[in-house]
Amino acid sequence: MVIHGPNLNLLGEREPEVYGRTTLAEIDALLIEQAQAAGFRAECHQSNHEGEIVELLHRAGREAAAVVLNPGAFTHYSLAIRDAAAALDVPLIEVHLSNVYRREPFRHRSVVAAVATGQISGFGALSYRLAMEAALTLAGGEPA
Ligand code: DQA
């Protein structure tokens, strides 16, 4: 399961100098193809709502082989998302388009990172591809 957090529906038009020009629909299409090539089905969701992301993580815990999560700004303060992530028994890859460690100090802290399997940050749309490769490999599929 792929979960994109708040404001990521605006990808392509939102601060393109930071987040690039690739749209979310383009990213999702690539991820679905990448998963399919490894014998998995990627289900992609975007939500601007913390509780909805919590519920998606609960569902992922029951149904998914791995989770790719970009919590957006929730990364930096949502303990509800962190707790839902901590409850997962499947690999969780935290992903960011931008290199959060090169940006404002408030972005340097991720409350999710300590409960994630790993984190990928700073490669633009490629971050997602790398995150999916990690998720597929950890879930036992063939990396693309
Ligand atoms: C982001 C980084 C966050 O700090 C920011 O709030 C986002 C996107 C990224 O993908 O680079 O919304 O998660």
Side-chain angles (χ1 to χ4, degrees):
M1 185 183 289
V2 179
I3 305 172
H4 309 282
N7 300 306
L8 292 164
N9 53 310
L10 300 179
L11 270 190
E13 45 188 271
R14 169 198 185 201
E15 301 180 78
E17 66 289 352
V18 178
Y19 297 116
R21 296 203 177 271
T22 312
T23 66
L24 196 63
E26 288 165 344
I27 287 174
D28 284 346
L30 287 171
L31 294 177
I32 287 166
E33 204 179 288
Q34 189 182 350
Q36 216 162 36
F40 284 88
R41 185 175 60 84
E43 194 182 292
C44 302
H45 300 273
Q46 188 276 328
S47 176
N48 295 320
H49 305 281
E50 186 179 26
E52 202 173 318
I53 295 170
V54 167
E55 282 170 10
L56 283 166
L57 287 168
H58 293 173
R59 186 146 76 74
R62 295 190 299 271
E63 299 174 5
V67 180
V68 171
L69 171 66
N70 184 344
F74 287 139
T75 305
H76 313 301
Y77 69 93
S78 173
L79 299 180
I81 289 175
R82 176 206 166 99
D83 284 354
L88 288 172
D89 284 328
V90 294
L92 169 69
I93 321 304
E94 177 184 339
V95 56
H96 300 286
L97 293 143
S98 63
N99 180 348
V100 288
Y101 303 100
R102 289 180 62 159
R103 302 182 61 197
E104 304 95 319
F106 73 86
R107 295 186 203 276
H108 297 180
R109 173 162 175 260
S110 166
V111 298
V112 176
V115 297
T117 309
Q119 185 197 60
I120 295 169
S121 177
F123 299 95
L126 175 62
S127 285
Y128 278 102
R129 192 164 190 83
L130 297 170
M132 179 58 84
E133 180 162 346
L136 293 168
T137 304
L138 295 172
E142 291 297 316

